[in-house]
Amino acid sequence: MIRAATSADIPVIHAMIRELAEYEKVPDEARADEPQLAEALFGERPAAFAHIAEDRGLPVGFALWFLNFSTWRGVHGIYLEDLYVRPEARGGGHGKALLTELARICVERGYERLEWAVLNWNKPSIDFYEALGARAQDEWTVYRLTDGALTALGARA
């Protein structure tokens, strides 16, 4: 079962974010805390949204996403920040169900893109996404400013 997250899900979402960071071999980079997640997902002006995958009433996965905008298409899309299914539940269709729900939201709301990034070494996920019809955007390279570089650039303003 896939359902929209509620504020009661903050602890489990936080735990799964930590699990995802461990899986991606960067546990120290997951610094968000529960109050930050609560504000981002359920504050006065939510910046992100989440869905929970349940199996027999227990949370086994989540998708955390936000809206982006295509200047070329003139409409919103969904950017999937995190998709995670706990190891013991993988292969049970939960990841596909989460993506299906996000695709349904896109179609229902007239959004024309559902996008996400995947680590180059994550072959099981790449194979899974390609089996669903997703295609890598190989001509694009992701850039990111964080920490000291972000602070330094921002200080120039």
Side-chain angles (χ1 to χ4, degrees):
M1 179 181 110
I2 304 301
R3 62 173 176 78
T6 68
S7 59
D9 293 311
I10 293 296
V12 75
I13 292 170
H14 186 253
M16 286 192 280
I17 289 170
R18 302 287 307 155
E19 293 168 27
L20 176 59
E22 289 284 340
Y23 174 77
E24 291 185 354
K25 303 175 182 136
V26 289
D28 295 337
E29 290 186 27
R31 297 183 293 216
D33 60 29
E34 290 184 22
Q36 287 174 312
L37 290 172
E39 180 63 27
L41 293 169
F42 303 106
E44 188 175 315
R45 295 181 60 186
F49 308 91
H51 282 77
I52 301 291
E54 289 184 335
D55 190 357
R56 296 180 201 111
L58 296 175
V60 296
F62 80 105
L64 195 143
W65 56 277
F66 55 88
L67 295 179
N68 59 14
F69 185 81
S70 170
T71 57
W72 289 14
R73 298 211 175 194
V75 296
H76 282 294
I78 286 178
Y79 187 85
L80 175 60
E81 180 65 23
D82 285 329
L83 175 71
Y84 178 74
V85 175
R86 289 182 158 154
E88 64 273 14
R90 291 182 188 151
H94 305 294
K96 183 177 182 180
L98 285 163
L99 284 170
T100 299
E101 176 62 10
L102 296 185
R104 185 196 66 74
I105 292 168
C106 284
V107 170
E108 178 183 273
R109 297 181 187 177
Y111 303 162
E112 294 189 15
R113 289 183 179 163
L114 172 55
E115 296 181 314
W116 62 91
V118 60
L119 291 165
N120 293 333
W121 58 259
N122 194 344
K123 180 106 169 84
S125 292
I126 292 167
D127 291 345
F128 167 68
Y129 298 143
E130 289 181 351
L132 294 176
R135 295 294 167 249
Q137 302 298 297
D138 294 334
E139 65 275 11
W140 293 89
T141 300
V142 175
Y143 282 85
R144 179 177 294 155
L145 281 170
T146 61
D147 303 324
L150 178 63
T151 301
L153 184 59
R156 294 181 190 158

